Every structure is written in C-alpha cells, then in structure tokens.
Amino acid sequence: MSKLNFAQCQQFIKQVKQYLPGGVHYNFRYSGKDTIIPFNKGRGSRVWDLDGNEHLDLFCKFGALIVGHYNLEYNARLSDYMEKVLSVDQCDLEPLVCERIVHYVPCAEMVRFCLSGTEAVQNAIRLGRAYAGKPKFVRFRGHYHGNADNIMGGKPQSPDYPTPDFYEGDFLDTEGRAPQIMQEQSFMLPWNNLEALEQLLANYADQIGVIIMEPICINGGGILPKPGYLEGVRRLCDRYHITLIFDEVITGFRTALGGAQSLLGVTPDLTVFGKALAGGALPVSAIVGKKDIMQFYTDQKVIHAGTFNGYPLGLAAVLATIELLENDTDCYQRMGSFLMQIAQSLVDAAQAVDIPMVVQGVPNILIFHSQNSALEYPEGYNDDTKLRDILITRLCKEYGIQFSPISRFYSNLLMEETDVEFFQSRIGEAMADVKKITSLFEPSPVAA
Ligand code: PMP
C-alpha cells in the first residue's frame, strides 16, 4: 500500500480557502493543523475523497456518527418523516422520543431539545444555577464543555482560590473573550480528587450552584473516574445543595443508551447530550433531568429558547437512532470489539517500530497516546506525547486512516471485520513513516 495521492483534494482546498477562513469550519489554536480532505461518498465505515481514495472513517464526525454512512434504515426513516411534515414548531414525535430517553437515562424525568453541545451546556448551567440559587459553577481541568467564553480552557491560578485563568500555550485560549468571565463565573479543580473539591466547598459552597464534569473524562485523554469519586461528588452536591451536571455529549449513546451514568451507577441532577444523540447526521442536543429542576422551565423561571429546538427531522433522527441501537441487541459489544481489535493492531504496529503506545477510554470511544503507560490525569499529557500523537494522526491520513482530532477513534453500527483488516493493511507503513520522522529527533547513540 503506497501513500495516497491528493491532487484533486488539494485543488479543491485552495478554492475553499478563499471562502472559509483556514479552509475549515472550526479551529482551535493547537499546533497540529489537520490536513483537510474533502469527501463525497460514504459507505459504512468507509469514505471516499475527491481523488477517489478510500479511507477508514474512525473520525465519525467527532464521535457523532454512530449509525455509519449510508445506513439505509436511518436514511429511510429521515426521508419518510420529511414526506410527512418538514418544519413545524411541534410535531407528533415528542412523546415517543422523550419516553425512550426517560426510560433509559437514570436522571431523565423530563427533556428539552436544542442543537449543539455548547448550547445545551450553557442552558443546563443556567438552569442548575437557578435551581440551586447560587451564581458560580465548578469545572475540571482537562474536561471540555464547548466553545463558550465562560467555559473554555484555562487552568486554576491559586490553590486557595482556584479560578481558571489563561496560561502560555493553552490551545483553548482565545482573543475576544469577555474579560474576567471565567474568573467571575467559575472555579476549576483537578478531577478525580475528592479532597480538592471538599476543600473548595468547605470555603465557597455558598457561592457554588453547579458542578459540571464529563463522567468519563474523554477530552482529558480517556480517563475513568476513580472508584468512589463520583459517589463522593454526588454526596457533596447533596450536602451543599449543588446541581450536579454530567456532560454526556460524547459518552451519551456511545457507552450505552442510558449514557455513562447507567454504567457508572451515579445519577446526576441534569445531563446534557449531543453528538450521537441523533445518529450523527443532524444536530440535536438535549438537556435532561429531574422534574423539580426542569419545572423551572414550566414555571417560566428560567428561559430556554431556540428557533430550531425540537425540529421534526431532528426528532425523527433521535428516534431512529434509539431504535437502531435497541433492535441491534449486541451492537455495543460488537462495535466495541471491532474497535478494540483496531486498537490492538495500532499498539502492535507501534511496538513493531519501537514507538511507545497505549490505548485507553471505553470500548466505543478510544484514545491513543504515544507513551508507555496510560494517562492517569489530564495534566499528565506531556508535549512529547502530544506531538507524537499529532504526527501519527497526520501520517495515518496519508494511508487512508482517519482518526478524530486529539487521537480519538470511534466505532459505528455498520463497522465490520473488513474494517479491521483495512486498518491492519495500512497501519504498519504509517507507523514506519512515523518512526522515520521521530528518529530524526532522537539523540544519536554516543560513540564508545
Ligand atoms: N461537551 C463535550 C464533552 C464535548 O466533547 C463537546 C464537543 N466536543 C461539547 C460539549 C460541545 O459540543 P458542540 O461541539 O456540539 O458544541
């Protein structure tokens, strides 16, 4: 297998750069600017670019695409619903969709839909603060909750008063942010550290209305909560009357239909979903939670609004996704097993050329790190590993393997054994290329 040729893609990208800043639809300030590859065909786990090259899509639109490309049942459900009614304020799907979500998700007694994860997070924080009647929220290092001013990047400045502030090299820092917004609204702590939270609450619980976290820290590198940690946070929230929010934008529907909370056994007060909630082709996010909190919307105490909230096609997509996952009874196990085989092949290929490699996370959301042992804390993700991870992601693209940014990879419902074989047929050469580059920076052996 030789490297792919991207002549047409490059031509197209030149054109696109005239219109889209940077030629892309989003940007963060991290050094590994991704190679842009435009695609015009997808089947199952494969996508084809403008040059006709075939790629394995482990990117899955940042983890959203759980149904797979050209999922005929999903597509039919959407087009059938478009035939029924296109765009109205309320359609006939709400009870069906909400009933399924309430059935599966432990904290869900009521549901509100919106569009993006960022938007759902902001609305959940507003609701949680209103319910608790206190103005600030706590978030954690390495957790990502969308690209709003008040919640993106930073690190705690002082252990005594740990409000987030900017630091040199923070790829989530941005110009144009409302000044002091992070410091005024929030505290930031290390995650998986109950003592740090206890200490903060002992001093400032009267200001803190919300604690928000990813229950499994995917954005921080695929780190699981320590035994007893989530239970401890839950207890503290109850003691101090704080609304606990789980951000399940990535884990929702990818770990289980009930989200990570259904597996971890700790129930938050509110949860936000996004990404895979509607299968991955359409934007739908949701805020779900306990009735007495959601009641604040009913009573008009808290505003939640949006033109496209609950749009029919989006709801049809959520329902289709839930039913596809429900009816395919061993899908989580099957998808997870294919992805784990891919992970093992990655580790083997790296080891074959003496590049350190670990894979961590949960079976349908995996993250690789080019280092010898699993990452235990988001803060432990060092620059050398980061650079190698970016290089691996970048070079794999040239052999038709599409990882998601920040070295993640995802499964989908249509994944099959041949996808594992496709990966295995290409990863060896890609890793050999990685080795060629990294060895340029390795100290040469000292002559005896
Ligand atoms: N929360 C988490 C955990 C996320 O990973 C993301 C996006 N990666 C968001 C929120 C924001 O979602 P969106 O990009 O849809 O605004």
Side-chain angles (χ1 to χ4, degrees):
M1 172 72 216
S2 54
K3 277 192 191 176
L4 304 178
N5 181 317
F6 294 113
Q8 300 287 329
C9 292
Q10 274 158 1
Q11 193 53 35
F12 179 87
I13 289 153
K14 239 189 239 164
Q15 235 180 332
V16 150
K17 282 189 171 166
Q18 295 171 29
Y19 305 108
L20 292 180
V24 290
H25 297 284
Y26 72 97
N27 65 289
F28 291 110
R29 293 169 69 178
Y30 78 100
S31 56
K33 295 266 185 289
D34 287 329
T35 331
I36 311 161
I37 303 175
F39 299 102
N40 58 8
K41 181 177 158 189
R43 294 284 184 274
S45 308
R46 309 291 173 85
V47 282
W48 282 261
D49 67 30
L50 303 193
D51 288 278
N53 299 312
E54 186 176 358
H55 303 248
L56 177 63
D57 183 9
L58 302 172
F59 187 133
C60 294
K61 189 67 176 164
F62 299 96
L65 190 68
I66 197 166
V67 297
H69 298 276
Y70 201 62
N71 186 316
L72 291 176
E73 199 178 332
Y74 178 82
N75 293 359
R77 294 285 294 265
L78 297 193
S79 54
D80 285 354
Y81 209 81
M82 278 167 85
E83 296 282 319
K84 246 180 123 175
V85 61
L86 197 57
S87 197
V88 287
D89 202 23
Q90 214 124 353
C91 63
D92 58 353
L93 291 175
E94 282 87 352
L96 280 173
V97 180
C98 296
E99 188 276 325
R100 296 323 288 152
I101 294 175
V102 167
H103 172 76
Y104 286 112
V105 180
C107 88
E109 291 172 3
M110 298 186 96
V111 182
R112 270 286 174 96
F113 292 105
C114 34
L115 296 182
S116 72
T118 300
E119 183 193 4
V121 162
Q122 291 298 317
N123 278 281
I125 289 175
R126 180 191 285 165
L127 180 61
R129 288 192 295 214
Y131 180 72
K134 295 184 279 181
K136 293 196 178 174
F137 64 90
V138 176
R139 68 181 172 109
F140 298 90
R141 193 86 204 278
H143 294 229
Y144 178 77
H145 304 292
N147 73 97
D149 272 11
N150 62 350
I151 204 158
M152 188 173 53
K155 81 176 182 194
Q157 291 306 293
S158 125
D160 299 331
Y161 195 70
T163 55
D165 204 350
F166 316 112
Y167 63 95
E168 190 62 34
D170 184 1
F171 78 94
L172 292 171
D173 189 12
T174 177
E175 289 184 23
R177 198 192 300 251
Q180 296 300 310
I181 192 165
M182 294 209 294
Q183 293 86 338
E184 280 167 6
Q185 292 197 6
S186 63
F187 292 104
M188 188 185 226
L189 292 177
W191 188 63
N192 251 343
N193 180 336
L194 204 55
E195 259 174 39
L197 183 62
E198 274 166 350
Q199 197 187 330
L200 180 78
L201 295 180
N203 296 324
Y204 302 110
D206 59 332
Q207 300 176 22
I208 294 167
V210 161
I211 294 177
I212 184 165
M213 68 169 73
E214 296 176 55
I216 298 170
C217 183
I218 302 299
N219 282 290
I223 301 162
L224 296 175
K226 284 188 183 156
Y229 176 68
L230 295 180
E231 289 81 355
V233 175
R234 177 69 273 177
R235 264 195 312 278
L236 290 169
C237 286
D238 292 340
R239 185 188 314 155
Y240 290 110
H241 186 52
I242 293 168
T243 310
L244 179 59
I245 302 176
F246 279 178
D247 180 343
E248 296 228 39
V249 167
I250 296 186
T251 50
F253 279 22
R254 272 214 166 264
T255 47
L257 274 160
Q261 62 196 264
S262 66
L263 305 175
L264 296 167
V266 173
T267 304
D269 301 302
L270 295 175
T271 300
V272 290
F273 291 107
K275 294 196 195 261
L277 179 63
L282 297 170
V284 181
S285 58
I287 306 151
V288 309
K290 307 221 170 117
K291 217 173 227 162
D292 54 342
I293 308 180
M294 301 297 276
Q295 185 72 25
F296 275 53
Y297 289 145
T298 320
D299 297 340
Q300 318 265 23
K301 289 181 180 166
V302 173
I303 289 178
H304 166 238
T307 301
F308 283 104
N309 288 0
Y311 66 108
L313 203 52
L315 294 192
V318 177
L319 190 58
T321 306
I322 293 174
E323 290 181 3
L324 281 167
L325 292 166
E326 270 176 343
N327 296 338
D328 189 350
T329 43
D330 72 342
C331 67
Y332 284 101
Q333 195 272 334
R334 186 187 68 243
M335 291 189 285
S337 149
F338 288 136
L339 206 67
M340 295 293 271
Q341 289 177 55
I342 286 174
Q344 189 55 51
S345 307
L346 172 65
V347 171
D348 293 345
Q351 277 173 356
V353 291
D354 204 20
I355 287 179
M357 181 62 68
V358 297
V359 175
Q360 59 189 99
V362 282
N364 289 297
I365 312 167
L366 291 176
I367 299 108
F368 70 80
H369 297 302
S370 179
Q371 58 184 39
N372 287 318
S373 52
L375 197 63
E376 285 187 45
Y377 304 96
E379 299 89 321
Y381 192 21
N382 72 47
D383 287 346
D384 278 356
T385 304
K386 240 180 250 175
L387 276 179
R388 266 197 305 276
D389 287 357
I390 289 169
L391 185 67
I392 292 166
T393 306
R394 165 86 178 65
L395 291 180
C396 280
K397 281 188 182 187
E398 296 183 9
Y399 288 90
I401 297 168
Q402 290 273 320
F403 287 112
S404 195
I406 330 192
S407 50
R408 300 189 202 146
F409 49 119
Y410 298 99
S411 54
N412 72 76
L413 275 173
L414 300 180
M415 200 166 230
E416 38 184 51
E417 194 61 47
T418 53
D419 295 318
V420 179
E421 290 158 12
F422 183 100
F423 185 85
Q424 288 167 341
S425 70
R426 290 162 189 240
I427 190 62
E429 278 181 79
M431 291 310 292
D433 276 8
V434 172
K435 183 65 184 176
K436 268 186 223 149
I437 295 181
T438 55
S439 34
L440 298 175
F441 301 98
E442 280 163 12
S444 50
V446 181

